[in-house]
Amino acid sequence: MIQGTMSSAGKSLVCTALCRIFAQDGYRVAPFKSQNMALNSFITEEGLEMGRAQVAQAEAAGAVPSVLMNPILLKPTTDFGSQVIVMGEVRGNMRASEYFRYKKELIPDILRAYHALEQTYDIIVIEGAGSPAEINLKQTDIVNMGMAQMADSPVLLVGDIDRGGVFAQLYGTVSLLAPEERARIKATIINKFRGDASILASGLDMLYELVGVPCAGIVPYVDADIDDEDSLSRRLENRERKEIDIAVIRLPRISNFTDFAPFEQYENVSLRYVSSIKELGTPDLVILPGTKSTISDLKWLRESGLEAAVLKLASHGTPVFGICGGFQMLGRTISDPCGAEGGGVAAGMGLLEMDTVFHGEKTRLQISGSLGAVTGIFSGLSGMDFTGYEIHMGNSTERDTLVCRGNVYGSYVHGLFDAQGIADEMVRALCARRGLAFDGDRPFDRAAYKEEQYNKLAHAVREALDMKLIYDILEKRV
C-alpha cells in the first residue's frame, strides 16, 4: 500500500509506476483504492462508474479497468456534500457529516471487491487518500490505515519534497500514528526531488534514526503526462497563448477535464483553463467542459459575465464546443423535475436547438461508432470513427453523437477527442481559419502516447527505488 503525508504527495503516480514495473516484471497486477473523491470518472464495459486515476493505473498494469479497483467513488456536488457511488452504482447524495457516520457500513463492499481481485491478481497496489495522520478521521477510516489493516498490507509512506519540509512531513505523520499502525510502515519514499540527491544523505540517516525504517528511494520530479485526480492543478498553470489558442471554461464543478488533454500535444496550440472574461480574451476555440452541477455552474457562467462573452464570440464565428454538462448548457432549457440538482428550470444559452430534462436515472455506457454529417468549421470530422463513454443525469432532445449548428457543437461523449484523427482534424481546421500551416505529418496516436508516458514514469521510478527492498517488503521478508 502507498500512503502519503498529504494530498498531492504523489501517491497516484507512485502507484501507477509500480503497477507498470510489476507488470513489466511478469506479474498480474491490479490497482485498488477503496474510496476515491474525484469528479474525473470513467464508465467500464459493464456500464459502471469508477475514478479515472484507477483507470490509468489499470492501463499501466495492462489490466481491464473494473469497479472492483475503486468500490467507492465520491463526486462532490456542493462544498458540503457528494454523490456516493458504490460498486459503480449511485447510492445517493449525502452531506459530509452524514457520510462520515455511514461509511463504515461500506466495509463489506470494500472487502468483497478486494477479495475478488485477490482471486485473479498476483500483486495488488493499494492507494491511500490524503494522509493517514488525520487524527479526527481515524476512528472511521476505510482508506488509509483502516484499509491497510483490512488487507494486512505493508505500507510505503510518500513525502513531497517539492513543497518543502519533507522530513517534518514524514516524521510528523509517523509520530501521529498508533504503534500498530507505525509497524505497518516498512519504508519511506521522498518524491518530486530536483537536484543532487546526495545532499539529503545526512537527513536520511537522521530520519532513519527517528522513524526506524529505511528510505526506499528518492524519486525525481518526472515530467510524465499521466491522468490523476490532481492533474488539473498542473494544467491550470498554463497561461501562454500560442498561434492556436483554445480556452476551456473552468466551471466551479468541472469534471473529466482529461477529455481535452489531446490538444496539449501540438506545439503551436495552447490549452488554457479560464474563469473570467479577462482570462478568456479572443481564443480560436471555446470549450464548455463537463460538470457535476450543470444548473448551478450555468448560473455561475451567467453571473460571471462569461456567458455573454462566449455568446459574443459565437456570434462572430468563434467555434464553441460543449461536452456533457457543457453540451446541456448550450441548449434552450434545462429542467430538473426530479430534484437531481435541486429542482427548477433554467434557461440555457440558446446556441443549440434542444432541451434537457433531468431524470432520476444516470446514463452510463461505453459508446463507439462513426460520426455522421458534421457542418461548419469542423466538417472534416464527418464519418470519423470514435470511442468513448457517456455519464450524465439529463437527457436531451438532440441525441446525435455530435450535434452541430453553425460553428457550435455539442456531444455527450467523453473521450471523443482521444480517437485517432479527431484532434488532428480540429487543429487543422483552426489553423486553416487563421491561414496557418498544420504540422500533422504524423497523426497523433493517443493510445501509443499514453503507453510511452507509462513506460517513461516506470523507468524513472524503477531507477530511483530500491526494488530489492520493495520485493522484500512484498514477500514480507522485512
Side-chain angles (χ1 to χ4, degrees):
M1 185 174 193
I2 306 300
Q3 296 185 16
T5 57
M6 64 179 78
S7 295
S8 301
K11 296 182 295 291
S12 293
L13 291 181
V14 172
C15 287
T16 304
L18 288 174
C19 283
R20 177 52 60 104
I21 290 169
F22 294 143
Q24 289 172 338
D25 291 351
Y27 294 95
R28 295 171 300 171
V29 189
F32 184 83
K33 187 166 185 176
S34 58
Q35 174 192 287
N36 198 346
M37 178 176 280
L39 287 175
N40 262 13
S41 61
F42 175 82
I43 300 301
T44 68
E45 293 175 351
E46 300 83 9
L48 301 173
E49 189 173 2
M50 64 181 292
R52 281 198 64 92
Q54 279 62 63
V55 173
Q57 290 161 5
E59 290 175 347
V64 177
S66 164
V67 292
L68 297 173
M69 300 167 180
N70 176 212
I72 303 170
L73 175 63
L74 305 178
K75 301 187 77 173
T77 54
T78 68
D79 290 340
F80 305 102
S82 297
Q83 185 180 73
V84 180
I85 297 167
V86 181
M87 293 302 293
E89 304 270 7
V90 176
R91 186 68 58 92
N93 292 332
M94 295 186 189
R95 291 178 65 86
S97 56
E98 180 185 1
Y99 179 73
F100 184 79
R101 294 189 298 269
Y102 171 75
K103 64 180 179 178
K104 292 200 85 170
E105 296 182 27
L106 297 174
I107 288 176
D109 296 286
I110 293 170
L111 288 175
R112 276 194 295 271
Y114 181 78
H115 292 318
L117 291 178
E118 279 188 316
Q119 302 305 310
T120 304
Y121 295 95
D122 304 316
I123 299 174
I124 300 176
V125 180
I126 309 173
E127 180 182 345
S131 162
E134 303 290 355
I135 55 179
N136 57 315
L137 302 176
K138 286 176 65 174
Q139 284 187 327
T140 59
D141 175 50
I142 59 173
V143 67
N144 285 307
M145 283 299 177
M147 185 63 228
Q149 181 179 3
M150 285 188 271
D152 190 22
S153 173
V155 174
L156 305 179
L157 182 63
V158 178
D160 178 3
I161 197 171
D162 196 48
R163 297 189 187 186
V166 71
F167 295 115
Q169 292 174 37
L170 293 166
Y171 174 64
T173 299
V174 173
S175 298
L176 285 171
L177 299 177
E180 62 272 19
E181 295 171 331
R182 294 178 200 168
R184 292 201 175 275
I185 297 180
K186 302 301 180 182
T188 60
I189 295 174
I190 291 179
N191 195 28
K192 304 182 190 177
F193 182 74
R194 309 170 195 251
D196 182 358
S198 65
I199 64 174
L200 298 179
S202 60
L204 292 176
D205 290 340
M206 288 184 278
L207 181 66
Y208 177 77
E209 293 295 323
L210 288 167
V211 300
V213 296
C215 178
I218 301 168
V219 178
Y221 198 101
V222 184
D223 185 21
D225 186 7
I226 309 291
D227 289 351
D228 70 87
E229 289 98 332
D230 303 309
S231 60
L232 179 60
S233 60
R234 301 194 305 271
R235 290 177 164 89
L236 292 178
E237 297 170 2
N238 180 29
R239 290 290 179 266
E240 180 185 4
R241 301 188 191 193
K242 298 184 180 179
E243 287 181 325
I244 298 299
D245 183 35
I246 300 176
V248 180
I249 304 299
R250 187 189 173 189
L251 300 169
R253 296 290 171 192
I254 185 173
S255 64
N256 289 73
F257 52 82
T258 50
D259 284 342
F260 317 117
F263 294 111
E264 296 176 343
Q265 311 311 317
Y266 303 91
E267 290 188 5
N268 68 332
V269 175
S270 56
L271 184 75
R272 299 180 299 113
Y273 289 81
V274 304
S275 54
S276 69
I277 297 174
K278 182 179 179 181
E279 291 176 340
L280 178 63
T282 55
D284 298 285
L285 170 65
V286 176
I287 295 177
L288 292 174
T291 166
K292 187 64 190 71
S293 300
T294 305
I295 293 176
S296 62
D297 278 5
L298 176 58
K299 181 180 179 182
W300 171 87
L301 190 75
R302 194 156 282 153
E303 292 175 347
S304 68
L306 277 167
E307 179 192 36
V310 172
L311 290 173
K312 183 177 180 180
L313 287 169
S315 70
H316 288 88
T318 299
V320 177
F321 209 124
I323 293 291
C324 199
F327 170 40
Q328 294 172 338
M329 291 180 184
L330 294 174
R332 292 175 298 212
T333 61
I334 302 173
S335 304
D336 182 20
C338 67
E341 291 192 6
V345 179
M349 298 173 67
L351 291 174
L352 293 177
E353 295 180 347
M354 70 174 195
D355 301 286
T356 299
V357 179
F358 287 174
H359 301 288
E361 293 295 318
K362 178 183 283 190
T363 298
R364 306 185 314 258
L365 57 92
Q366 289 192 357
I367 184 172
S368 62
S370 300
L371 298 177
V374 181
T375 60
I377 186 175
F378 298 135
S379 60
L381 297 177
S382 299
M384 297 189 73
D385 295 334
F386 73 93
T387 58
Y389 58 95
E390 292 188 23
I391 174 172
H392 51 92
M393 293 296 289
N395 290 313
S396 301
T397 52
E398 281 281 7
R399 287 299 297 143
D400 288 342
T401 301
L402 181 58
V403 178
C404 48
R405 182 187 180 198
N407 280 340
V408 179
Y409 303 83
S411 178
Y412 272 121
V413 180
H414 294 291
L416 179 66
F417 307 125
D418 284 356
Q420 187 165 354
I422 287 185
D424 281 345
E425 176 55 37
M426 292 179 66
V427 173
R428 180 183 291 108
L430 294 174
C431 286
R433 186 170 184 257
R434 293 277 308 280
L436 300 171
F438 172 67
D439 183 14
D441 293 337
R442 186 169 69 92
F444 176 59
D445 186 333
R446 176 71 172 160
Y449 173 78
K450 289 167 76 172
E451 284 296 301
E452 291 173 2
Q453 298 304 304
Y454 292 137
N455 288 331
K456 179 180 180 180
L457 175 67
H459 175 74
V461 173
R462 186 192 287 271
E463 289 291 305
L465 294 184
D466 181 345
M467 289 306 301
K468 181 181 183 304
L469 173 61
I470 301 296
Y471 277 111
D472 283 344
I473 291 170
L474 268 173
E475 299 291 340
K476 298 191 175 179
R477 295 190 290 263
V478 175

